């Protein structure tokens, strides 16, 4: 019973950290990265589609992303979608592919990105704490239903706290590393 509660809590915490990693991948670090365009949705034949489903995206060097559409009729729509994605990027096309130069970040933009990173990290920490609360509630219910002893409850609470600390530390480490990437390019 307690094992199930702990396993469930850990799996949710793990997923929360994965979502956090995915969210911050789109934060620019000044280097060209295909993940910068992860959130771009392109209007394609009346449907919004993720850019990576209608084009090949590559970063041949640290200052350029190249987008090659599978269907050349989508070229204008892709260029427009990148421009409107509010990423601070200015794409241009040569009739076959779209070049997206990645300008170096200004100090002000870096600070804005770090602030956004901290918001993501805090949301993630809150999510982990909510998972901890839910797990504790389940353990309290087991005690109330007399399925476990008070000693078992105490041990379970300690284990849940250790899990929480582990994942919050992981979030902090990831956040610190990303902040260094953003500030020291």
């Amino acid at each position: 019973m307690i094992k199930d509660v702990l396993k469930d809590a850990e799996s949710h915490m793990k997923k929360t950290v994965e979502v956090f990693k995915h969210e911050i991948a789109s934060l620019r670090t000044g280097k060209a990265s295909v993940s910068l365009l992860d959130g771009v949705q392109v209007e394609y034949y009346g449907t919004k589609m993720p850019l990576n489903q209608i084009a090949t995206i590559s970063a041949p060097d640290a200052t350029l992303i190249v987008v090659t559409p599978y269907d050349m009729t989508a070229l204008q729509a892709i260029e427009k979608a990148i421009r409107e994605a509010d990423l601070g990027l200015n794409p241009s096309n040569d009739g076959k592919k779209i070049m997206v130069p990645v300008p170096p970040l200004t100090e002000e933009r870096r600070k804005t990105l770090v602030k956004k990173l901290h918001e993501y990290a805090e949301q993630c920490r809150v999510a982990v704490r909510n998972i901890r609360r839910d797990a504790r509630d389940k353990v309290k219910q087991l005690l109330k239903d007399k399925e476990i002893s008070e000693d078992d409850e105490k041990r379970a609470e300690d284990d849940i706290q250790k899990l929480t600390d582990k994942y919050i530390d992981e979030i902090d480490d990831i956040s610190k590393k990303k902040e260094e990437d953003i500030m020291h390019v």
Side-chain angles (χ1 to χ4, degrees), residues 35 38 45 60 77 95 103 106 115 120 128 133 137 141 148 163:
S35 62
D38 276 355
Y45 289 113
T106 64
K115 194 183 280 187
Y120 286 149
V128 167
R133 183 197 60 223
D137 289 349
Q141 190 60 48
I148 60 171
L163 262 183

Side-chain angles (χ1 to χ4, degrees), residues 68-95:
T68 311
Y70 301 132
D71 176 3
M72 290 304 147
T73 61
L75 200 66
Q76 301 296 331
I78 292 171
E79 187 177 357
K80 181 180 178 204
I82 294 170
R83 197 167 270 122
E84 291 175 352
D86 194 32
L87 298 169
L89 301 173
N90 192 15
S92 63
N93 82 64
D94 66 1

Side-chain angles (χ1 to χ4, degrees), residues 38-76:
D38 276 355
V40 176
Q41 296 282 319
V42 181
E43 184 78 31
Y44 185 63
Y45 289 113
T47 309
K48 288 262 187 200
M49 296 190 70
L51 176 59
N52 62 6
Q53 288 185 10
I54 61 171
T56 304
I57 306 167
S58 62
D61 64 51
T63 61
L64 183 70
I65 298 173
V66 177
V67 181
T68 311
Y70 301 132
D71 176 3
M72 290 304 147
T73 61
L75 200 66
Q76 301 296 331

Side-chain angles (χ1 to χ4, degrees), residues 149-164:
S149 69
E150 286 187 18
D151 287 347
D152 290 337
E153 182 207 20
K154 198 80 194 130
R155 273 191 294 277
E157 293 246 340
D158 290 345
D159 290 343
I160 291 167
Q161 188 57 49
K162 284 176 190 161
L163 262 183
T164 304

Side-chain angles (χ1 to χ4, degrees), residues 118-178:
H118 288 205
E119 286 171 18
Y120 286 149
E122 187 53 34
Q123 289 169 357
C124 193
R125 284 191 285 268
V126 167
V128 167
R129 290 185 198 115
N130 287 339
I131 294 165
R132 173 186 63 190
R133 183 197 60 223
D134 293 345
R136 282 182 169 168
D137 289 349
K138 287 175 188 169
V139 169
K140 280 184 183 22
Q141 190 60 48
L142 289 173
L143 177 66
K144 195 172 156 188
D145 295 344
K146 301 195 183 325
E147 293 183 35
I148 60 171
S149 69
E150 286 187 18
D151 287 347
D152 290 337
E153 182 207 20
K154 198 80 194 130
R155 273 191 294 277
E157 293 246 340
D158 290 345
D159 290 343
I160 291 167
Q161 188 57 49
K162 284 176 190 161
L163 262 183
T164 304
D165 293 343
K166 172 186 164 189
Y167 283 99
I168 285 185
D169 287 346
E170 189 176 337
I171 292 164
D172 291 343
D173 292 344
I174 293 166
S175 181
K176 215 171 276 163
K177 189 175 180 307
K178 185 71 173 184

